[in-house]
Protein backbone atom coordinates (compact mmCIF):
# COMPACT_ATOMS: atom_id res chain seq x y z
CA UNK A 1 0.00 0.00 0.00
CA UNK A 2 1.50 3.30 -1.08
CA UNK A 3 0.55 6.94 -0.69
CA UNK A 4 -0.81 7.37 -4.20
CA UNK A 5 -4.48 7.15 -3.20
CA UNK A 6 -4.16 8.58 0.31
CA UNK A 7 -6.11 11.81 0.84
CA UNK A 8 -7.14 14.02 3.72
CA UNK A 9 -10.33 12.93 5.43
CA UNK A 10 -13.40 14.90 4.30
CA UNK A 11 -16.54 15.69 6.28
CA UNK A 12 -18.63 13.80 3.69
CA UNK A 13 -16.58 10.66 4.32
CA UNK A 14 -18.21 10.52 7.74
CA UNK A 15 -21.65 12.12 7.53
CA UNK A 16 -23.97 13.10 4.67
CA UNK A 17 -22.08 10.34 2.90
CA UNK A 18 -22.93 8.67 -0.37
CA UNK A 19 -23.46 4.99 -1.06
CA UNK A 20 -19.82 4.27 -1.87
CA UNK A 21 -17.39 3.46 0.91
CA UNK A 22 -14.67 6.14 1.08
CA UNK A 23 -11.36 4.90 -0.31
CA UNK A 24 -9.65 5.95 2.92
CA UNK A 25 -11.53 3.27 4.90
CA UNK A 26 -10.22 -0.29 5.10
CA UNK A 27 -12.94 -1.48 7.50
CA UNK A 28 -16.02 0.46 8.52
CA UNK A 29 -19.55 0.33 9.83
CA UNK A 30 -22.38 2.48 8.54
CA UNK A 31 -25.81 3.65 9.65
CA UNK A 32 -28.53 5.97 8.43
CA UNK A 33 -29.90 7.88 11.39
CA UNK A 34 -29.77 11.12 13.36
CA UNK A 35 -28.55 9.54 16.60
CA UNK A 36 -25.16 11.27 16.63
CA UNK A 37 -26.77 14.61 15.87
CA UNK A 38 -29.27 14.13 18.71
CA UNK A 39 -26.39 13.53 21.09
CA UNK A 40 -23.83 16.04 19.88
CA UNK A 41 -25.49 18.91 17.97
CA UNK A 42 -25.48 22.28 19.72
CA UNK A 43 -28.67 22.82 21.78
CA UNK A 44 -29.70 25.71 19.53
CA UNK A 45 -30.11 23.08 16.81
CA UNK A 46 -31.94 20.77 19.25
CA UNK A 47 -29.00 18.56 20.16
CA UNK A 48 -27.65 17.74 23.62
CA UNK A 49 -23.96 18.67 23.14
CA UNK A 50 -22.88 15.52 24.96
CA UNK A 51 -19.35 15.56 23.54
CA UNK A 52 -17.50 18.83 23.03
CA UNK A 53 -13.85 19.52 22.14
CA UNK A 54 -11.52 20.83 24.82
CA UNK A 55 -9.13 23.72 24.65
CA UNK A 56 -6.41 21.10 25.14
CA UNK A 57 -7.31 19.58 21.78
CA UNK A 58 -7.67 22.98 20.11
CA UNK A 59 -4.16 23.92 21.26
CA UNK A 60 -2.73 20.73 19.75
CA UNK A 61 -3.42 21.85 16.16
CA UNK A 62 -0.38 23.60 14.64
CA UNK A 63 -0.32 26.51 12.26
CA UNK A 64 -0.79 25.52 8.63
CA UNK A 65 1.73 27.86 7.01
CA UNK A 66 4.65 27.12 9.35
CA UNK A 67 3.81 23.71 10.82
CA UNK A 68 4.87 24.91 14.26
CA UNK A 69 2.72 24.40 17.37
CA UNK A 70 1.01 27.55 18.62
CA UNK A 71 3.05 27.35 21.83
CA UNK A 72 6.10 28.41 19.79
CA UNK A 73 5.33 32.11 19.73
CA UNK A 74 8.53 32.94 17.84
CA UNK A 75 8.11 30.62 14.86
CA UNK A 76 4.47 29.63 14.57
CA UNK A 77 2.89 32.92 13.37
CA UNK A 78 0.02 32.29 15.80
CA UNK A 79 -2.07 35.38 16.55
CA UNK A 80 -3.71 35.17 20.01
CA UNK A 81 -6.20 37.86 18.98
CA UNK A 82 -7.34 35.66 16.09
CA UNK A 83 -6.70 32.21 17.56
CA UNK A 84 -8.61 30.19 14.96
CA UNK A 85 -7.08 31.66 11.82
CA UNK A 86 -4.60 29.70 9.74
CA UNK A 87 -4.68 26.42 11.61
CA UNK A 88 -4.03 22.89 10.35
CA UNK A 89 -6.86 21.77 8.01
CA UNK A 90 -7.94 19.10 10.49
CA UNK A 91 -8.89 21.78 13.00
CA UNK A 92 -11.77 22.89 10.78
CA UNK A 93 -12.87 19.30 10.14
CA UNK A 94 -13.17 18.61 13.86
CA UNK A 95 -14.26 21.76 15.64
CA UNK A 96 -16.89 24.49 15.65
CA UNK A 97 -15.49 27.61 17.30
CA UNK A 98 -16.58 31.18 17.95
CA UNK A 99 -17.66 32.68 14.62
CA UNK A 100 -17.62 29.44 12.61
CA UNK A 101 -20.77 28.86 10.56
CA UNK A 102 -22.68 25.90 11.99
CA UNK A 103 -23.50 23.35 9.30
CA UNK A 104 -24.03 24.51 5.74
CA UNK A 105 -26.42 27.38 6.23
CA UNK A 106 -26.62 27.82 9.98
CA UNK A 107 -25.69 30.88 11.98
CA UNK A 108 -22.19 31.63 13.25
CA UNK A 109 -21.35 29.99 16.56
CA UNK A 110 -21.78 32.53 19.37
CA UNK A 111 -20.53 31.51 22.81
CA UNK A 112 -20.30 35.10 24.11
CA UNK A 113 -22.52 35.69 27.16
CA UNK A 114 -26.09 35.90 25.87
CA UNK A 115 -25.15 34.26 22.58
CA UNK A 116 -27.27 31.43 21.25
CA UNK A 117 -24.52 28.85 21.87
CA UNK A 118 -23.53 30.00 25.36
CA UNK A 119 -24.52 28.47 28.67
CA UNK A 120 -26.24 31.74 29.56
CA UNK A 121 -28.68 31.01 26.73
CA UNK A 122 -29.01 27.26 27.30
CA UNK A 123 -27.68 25.41 30.39
CA UNK A 124 -26.90 22.38 28.22
CA UNK A 125 -24.63 24.36 25.90
CA UNK A 126 -20.93 23.57 25.64
CA UNK A 127 -18.89 24.01 28.80
CA UNK A 128 -15.68 24.36 26.82
CA UNK A 129 -16.75 27.02 24.33
CA UNK A 130 -16.46 24.61 21.38
CA UNK A 131 -18.71 22.14 19.58
CA UNK A 132 -17.91 18.93 17.78
CA UNK A 133 -18.02 19.01 13.99
CA UNK A 134 -16.45 15.69 13.01
CA UNK A 135 -18.90 12.84 12.32
CA UNK A 136 -21.92 15.18 12.37
CA UNK A 137 -24.20 16.10 9.48
CA UNK A 138 -23.90 19.58 8.00
CA UNK A 139 -27.71 19.72 7.79
CA UNK A 140 -28.09 21.78 10.94
CA UNK A 141 -31.91 21.69 10.67
CA UNK A 142 -32.20 17.90 10.57
CA UNK A 143 -33.57 17.62 14.13
CA UNK A 144 -36.52 19.93 13.46
CA UNK A 145 -39.42 17.86 14.86
CA UNK A 146 -41.71 18.98 12.05
CA UNK A 147 -39.31 17.93 9.30
CA UNK A 148 -36.68 15.66 10.86
CA UNK A 149 -34.36 13.74 8.56
CA UNK A 150 -31.59 11.17 8.80
CA UNK A 151 -28.06 11.22 7.43
CA UNK A 152 -25.87 8.48 6.05
CA UNK A 153 -22.85 7.95 8.31
CA UNK A 154 -19.69 5.90 7.93
CA UNK A 155 -17.66 5.05 11.00
CA UNK A 156 -14.08 3.86 10.39
CA UNK A 157 -12.90 0.76 12.20
CA UNK A 158 -9.56 0.96 10.41
CA UNK A 159 -8.44 3.49 7.84
CA UNK A 160 -5.25 4.06 5.91
CA UNK A 161 -4.12 7.01 8.02
CA UNK A 162 -4.10 4.81 11.13
CA UNK A 163 -2.09 2.12 9.35
CA UNK A 164 0.45 4.75 8.26
CA UNK A 165 0.64 6.19 11.78
CA UNK A 166 1.10 2.72 13.26
CA UNK A 167 3.93 2.10 10.82
CA UNK A 168 5.58 5.47 11.49
CA UNK A 169 5.54 4.84 15.23
CA UNK A 170 7.08 1.38 14.83
CA UNK A 171 9.65 2.56 12.26
CA UNK A 172 10.76 5.42 14.51
CA UNK A 173 11.26 3.07 17.45
CA UNK A 174 13.14 0.56 15.31
CA UNK A 175 15.32 2.76 13.08
CA UNK A 176 14.78 6.36 14.15
CA UNK A 177 13.02 9.16 12.23
CA UNK A 178 14.98 8.81 8.98
CA UNK A 179 16.38 5.31 9.40
CA UNK A 180 15.52 2.68 6.82
CA UNK A 181 14.70 -0.98 7.17
CA UNK A 182 18.08 -2.73 6.84
CA UNK A 183 16.40 -5.66 5.10
CA UNK A 184 14.83 -3.37 2.51
CA UNK A 185 11.33 -4.79 3.05
CA UNK A 186 9.79 -1.56 4.35
CA UNK A 187 10.28 1.19 1.80
CA UNK A 188 9.39 4.29 3.80
CA UNK A 189 10.94 6.04 6.78
CA UNK A 190 8.92 7.37 9.70
CA UNK A 191 9.83 10.87 8.53
CA UNK A 192 8.39 10.28 5.04
CA UNK A 193 5.13 8.96 6.45
CA UNK A 194 4.58 11.82 8.88
CA UNK A 195 5.56 14.37 6.23
CA UNK A 196 2.93 12.91 3.90
CA UNK A 197 0.19 12.88 6.55
CA UNK A 198 0.91 16.45 7.65
CA UNK A 199 0.89 17.66 4.05
CA UNK A 200 -2.10 15.65 2.83
CA UNK A 201 -4.35 15.88 5.88
CA UNK A 202 -3.14 19.07 7.52
CA UNK A 203 -2.12 21.10 4.48
CA UNK A 204 1.33 21.69 6.00
CA UNK A 205 4.06 21.95 3.37
CA UNK A 206 6.79 23.72 5.36
CA UNK A 207 9.11 21.05 6.82
CA UNK A 208 11.26 23.19 9.12
CA UNK A 209 9.50 22.07 12.30
CA UNK A 210 9.35 18.49 11.04
CA UNK A 211 13.11 18.56 10.46
CA UNK A 212 13.73 19.94 13.96
CA UNK A 213 11.69 17.16 15.53
CA UNK A 214 13.46 14.54 13.39
CA UNK A 215 16.80 15.12 15.08
CA UNK A 216 16.12 12.33 17.60
CA UNK A 217 13.87 9.34 18.12
CA UNK A 218 12.55 10.88 21.34
CA UNK A 219 11.44 14.20 19.85
CA UNK A 220 9.97 12.52 16.78
CA UNK A 221 7.98 10.23 19.05
CA UNK A 222 6.33 13.32 20.55
CA UNK A 223 5.43 14.55 17.07
CA UNK A 224 3.95 11.18 16.09
CA UNK A 225 1.88 11.14 19.26
CA UNK A 226 0.43 14.53 18.43
CA UNK A 227 -0.24 13.55 14.82
CA UNK A 228 -2.26 10.58 16.05
CA UNK A 229 -4.19 12.90 18.35
CA UNK A 230 -5.14 15.19 15.46
CA UNK A 231 -5.69 12.64 12.72
CA UNK A 232 -7.74 10.24 14.86
CA UNK A 233 -9.62 12.78 16.96
CA UNK A 234 -13.04 11.53 18.15
CA UNK A 235 -12.27 8.05 16.80
CA UNK A 236 -11.90 6.47 20.27
CA UNK A 237 -8.12 6.19 20.06
CA UNK A 238 -6.67 8.87 22.32
CA UNK A 239 -7.38 7.34 25.74
CA UNK A 240 -5.87 4.02 24.76
CA UNK A 241 -2.87 5.72 23.16
CA UNK A 242 -2.21 7.71 26.33
CA UNK A 243 -2.36 4.58 28.43
CA UNK A 244 0.06 2.59 26.32
CA UNK A 245 2.43 5.58 26.11
CA UNK A 246 2.08 6.12 29.88
CA UNK A 247 1.23 9.79 29.36
CA UNK A 248 -0.39 11.67 32.26
CA UNK A 249 -4.10 10.95 32.51
CA UNK A 250 -4.88 13.66 35.07
CA UNK A 251 -4.43 16.79 32.95
CA UNK A 252 -7.24 19.22 33.68
CA UNK A 253 -9.75 19.84 30.89
CA UNK A 254 -9.59 23.44 29.67
CA UNK A 255 -12.03 25.63 27.78
CA UNK A 256 -12.42 29.18 26.54
CA UNK A 257 -14.59 32.07 27.67
CA UNK A 258 -15.19 34.63 24.93
CA UNK A 259 -16.20 38.17 25.87
CA UNK A 260 -16.70 41.36 23.90
CA UNK A 261 -15.12 44.73 24.48
CA UNK A 262 -16.62 47.01 21.91
CA UNK A 263 -16.04 45.31 18.58
CA UNK A 264 -13.17 43.21 19.90
CA UNK A 265 -13.35 39.64 21.13
CA UNK A 266 -11.35 38.66 24.21
CA UNK A 267 -10.40 35.01 24.70
CA UNK A 268 -9.80 33.82 28.25
CA UNK A 269 -8.77 30.23 28.85
CA UNK A 270 -9.85 28.48 32.01
CA UNK A 271 -10.11 25.11 33.67
CA UNK A 272 -13.40 23.34 33.03
CA UNK A 273 -12.92 20.09 34.90
CA UNK A 274 -10.30 18.19 36.88
CA UNK A 275 -9.41 14.66 35.86
CA UNK A 276 -8.45 12.56 38.86
CA UNK A 277 -6.91 9.60 37.07
CA UNK A 278 -3.79 9.93 39.22
CA UNK A 279 -3.01 6.29 40.06
CA UNK A 280 -1.15 3.54 38.25
CA UNK A 281 -4.30 1.44 38.11
CA UNK A 282 -5.87 3.76 35.55
CA UNK A 283 -3.40 2.55 32.95
CA UNK A 284 -4.83 -0.95 33.29
CA UNK A 285 -8.27 -2.52 33.35
CA UNK A 286 -9.30 -4.72 36.28
CA UNK A 287 -9.90 -8.40 35.81
CA UNK A 288 -13.61 -9.22 36.15
CA UNK A 289 -14.66 -9.84 39.75
CA UNK A 290 -16.35 -13.12 38.93
CA UNK A 291 -13.14 -14.44 37.40
CA UNK A 292 -11.16 -13.53 40.53
CA UNK A 293 -13.76 -15.22 42.73
CA UNK A 294 -13.56 -18.41 40.68
CA UNK A 295 -9.79 -18.57 41.04
CA UNK A 296 -8.38 -17.16 44.31
CA UNK A 297 -4.84 -17.60 42.94
CA UNK A 298 -5.53 -15.13 40.16
CA UNK A 299 -3.65 -11.87 40.76
CA UNK A 300 -5.46 -8.77 39.54
CA UNK A 301 -3.81 -6.15 37.35
CA UNK A 302 -1.50 -3.60 38.92
CA UNK A 303 -3.37 -1.26 41.26
CA UNK A 304 -6.54 -3.35 41.38
CA UNK A 305 -7.66 -5.67 44.19
Amino acid sequence: MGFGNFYGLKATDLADAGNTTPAEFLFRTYFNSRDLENKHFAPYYLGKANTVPSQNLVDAFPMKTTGYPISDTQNSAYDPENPYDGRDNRFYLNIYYQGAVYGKTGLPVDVVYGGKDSQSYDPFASRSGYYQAKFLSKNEAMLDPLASTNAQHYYPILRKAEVFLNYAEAANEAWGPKGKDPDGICKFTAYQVIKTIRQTSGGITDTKYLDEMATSKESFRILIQNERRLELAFENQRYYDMRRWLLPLNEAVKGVVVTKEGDDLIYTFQKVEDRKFDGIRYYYSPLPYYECVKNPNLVNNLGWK
Side-chain angles (χ1 to χ4, degrees), residues 23-182:
E24 162 68 359
F25 294 0
L26 302 177
F27 301 100
R28 53 92 179 121
T29 60
Y30 70 94
F31 48 94
N32 192 294
S33 75
R34 52 183 177 274
D35 183 57
L36 287 179
E37 289 74 22
N38 273 316
K39 292 178 179 177
H40 307 306
F41 260 13
Y44 184 83
Y45 299 101
L46 306 181
K48 298 179 176 66
N50 285 351
T51 298
V52 295
S54 65
Q55 186 66 48
N56 314 59
L57 175 61
V58 169
D59 289 346
F61 289 93
M63 299 300 290
K64 179 177 175 178
T65 55
T66 65
Y68 278 86
I70 66 169
S71 57
D72 189 332
T73 56
Q74 184 174 358
N75 295 302
S76 67
Y78 172 70
D79 180 3
E81 294 185 2
N82 298 284
Y84 311 125
D85 291 352
R87 305 293 283 274
D88 180 312
N89 290 343
R90 292 167 290 189
F91 174 78
Y92 306 102
L93 173 71
N94 280 276
I95 295 169
Y96 285 123
Y97 52 91
Q98 172 69 25
V101 174
Y102 200 94
K104 287 183 178 179
T105 58
L107 299 171
V109 172
D110 185 3
V111 297
V112 177
Y113 186 87
K116 67 179 181 59
D117 300 303
S118 69
Q119 287 193 302
S120 62
Y121 184 89
D122 191 307
F124 295 103
S126 171
R127 297 167 62 200
S128 71
Y130 301 101
Y131 288 93
Q132 179 180 339
K134 191 174 181 179
F135 288 109
L136 302 184
S137 171
K138 298 300 182 185
N139 177 11
E140 75 287 340
M142 68 181 296
L143 300 183
D144 183 340
L146 298 180
S148 58
T149 59
N150 292 336
Q152 176 83 344
H153 296 78
Y154 285 109
Y155 189 86
I157 298 173
L158 181 67
R159 58 187 182 92
K160 292 175 184 176
E162 183 184 350
V163 173
F164 296 150
L165 286 164
N166 291 347
Y167 172 80
E169 184 176 345
N172 182 58
E173 297 301 324
W175 312 304
K178 296 186 177 181
K180 293 185 177 181
D181 176 8

Side-chain angles (χ1 to χ4, degrees), residues 284-304:
Y284 304 90
S285 295
L287 298 177
Y289 173 75
Y290 56 82
E291 295 295 340
C292 295
V293 170
K294 286 192 291 185
N295 183 358
N297 295 318
L298 190 63
V299 178
N300 215 321
N301 285 331
L302 189 62
W304 297 93

Side-chain angles (χ1 to χ4, degrees), residues 100-298:
V101 174
Y102 200 94
K104 287 183 178 179
T105 58
L107 299 171
V109 172
D110 185 3
V111 297
V112 177
Y113 186 87
K116 67 179 181 59
D117 300 303
S118 69
Q119 287 193 302
S120 62
Y121 184 89
D122 191 307
F124 295 103
S126 171
R127 297 167 62 200
S128 71
Y130 301 101
Y131 288 93
Q132 179 180 339
K134 191 174 181 179
F135 288 109
L136 302 184
S137 171
K138 298 300 182 185
N139 177 11
E140 75 287 340
M142 68 181 296
L143 300 183
D144 183 340
L146 298 180
S148 58
T149 59
N150 292 336
Q152 176 83 344
H153 296 78
Y154 285 109
Y155 189 86
I157 298 173
L158 181 67
R159 58 187 182 92
K160 292 175 184 176
E162 183 184 350
V163 173
F164 296 150
L165 286 164
N166 291 347
Y167 172 80
E169 184 176 345
N172 182 58
E173 297 301 324
W175 312 304
K178 296 186 177 181
K180 293 185 177 181
D181 176 8
D183 297 324
I185 297 173
C186 301
K187 299 180 180 180
F188 300 101
T189 65
Y191 177 93
Q192 289 173 309
V193 173
I194 296 302
K195 177 183 177 181
T196 298
I197 290 175
R198 281 167 65 86
Q199 180 174 334
T200 306
S201 292
I204 301 170
T205 57
D206 191 314
T207 63
K208 185 178 178 182
Y209 176 70
L210 183 68
D211 293 335
E212 288 180 9
M213 298 300 282
T215 55
S216 74
K217 178 189 298 186
E218 290 72 24
S219 59
F220 207 68
R221 182 187 301 136
I222 293 172
L223 178 58
I224 291 172
Q225 290 172 351
N226 196 63
E227 284 299 308
R228 285 186 67 91
R229 181 180 194 175
L230 307 184
E231 186 67 34
L232 305 177
F234 300 109
E235 295 184 32
N236 295 322
Q237 300 272 4
R238 178 65 178 170
Y239 176 58
Y240 300 100
D241 282 343
M242 293 179 72
R243 289 165 68 193
R244 68 185 178 85
W245 292 327
L246 298 180
L247 296 180
L249 300 176
N250 60 345
E251 180 183 2
V253 179
K254 296 185 294 183
V256 66
V257 175
V258 185
T259 55
K260 276 188 175 180
E261 291 187 4
D263 294 330
D264 297 327
L265 293 175
I266 308 299
Y267 301 89
T268 305
F269 306 109
Q270 65 175 17
K271 182 170 68 175
V272 173
E273 181 181 295
D274 283 317
R275 289 290 169 88
K276 299 181 179 180
F277 301 121
D278 54 358
I280 190 65
R281 66 176 181 162
Y282 296 113
Y283 292 93
Y284 304 90
S285 295
L287 298 177
Y289 173 75
Y290 56 82
E291 295 295 340
C292 295
V293 170
K294 286 192 291 185
N295 183 358
N297 295 318
L298 190 63

